[in-house]
Amino acid sequence: DQVRLTSYAGTDSGSTWGPAPLTASGVSVSGRVISSEGRGVRSANVTITDDRGTTRNVRTGSHGNFIFEDVEVGRTYIIGVQSRRFSFTAQVVQVFDTLTDLNFVAGNF
């Protein structure tokens, strides 16, 4: 792993300078929910659950797009979709960087 030092914390005298504490920044996880014909499924409920059981939900937009912001890297997540008209298989993903192509294709009930 590479660490890039971008700032310092210390006193004005310079005698106690050292690296500033690093903070974890989240990434985004996004994708699209589509029917078997390739049409976006709007208003589907997309859920992301981390390996500690913390759950967040978003609804898809008019073209089936969704996005979760500030997702912690280095964790395993289960992402599932619920819709009144379609069924979907949940996906297990490990997040190490931004994901932009996490797609769900519907099956029929």
Side-chain angles (χ1 to χ4, degrees), residues 71-91:
V71 176
E72 187 177 345
V73 297
R75 304 199 81 79
T76 301
Y77 296 89
I78 299 172
I79 303 174
V81 177
Q82 292 181 326
S83 167
R84 291 182 182 179
R85 296 178 35 198
F86 303 102
S87 64
F88 298 89
T89 301
Q91 297 184 40

Side-chain angles (χ1 to χ4, degrees), residues 8-54:
Y8 287 90
T11 66
D12 287 340
S13 68
S15 61
T16 59
W17 283 96
L22 298 176
T23 58
S25 63
V27 297
S28 63
V29 173
S30 62
R32 193 162 179 234
V33 178
I34 59 174
S35 68
S36 57
E37 294 84 27
R39 294 186 193 114
V41 177
R42 73 177 183 178
S43 298
N45 187 41
V46 184
T47 302
I48 187 170
T49 305
D50 69 18
D51 51 11
R52 292 176 284 191
T54 303

Side-chain angles (χ1 to χ4, degrees), residues 83-104:
S83 167
R84 291 182 182 179
R85 296 178 35 198
F86 303 102
S87 64
F88 298 89
T89 301
Q91 297 184 40
V92 177
V93 296
Q94 290 184 310
V95 176
F96 296 106
D97 203 350
T98 294
L99 296 175
T100 59
D101 60 351
L102 187 63
N103 298 317
F104 292 86

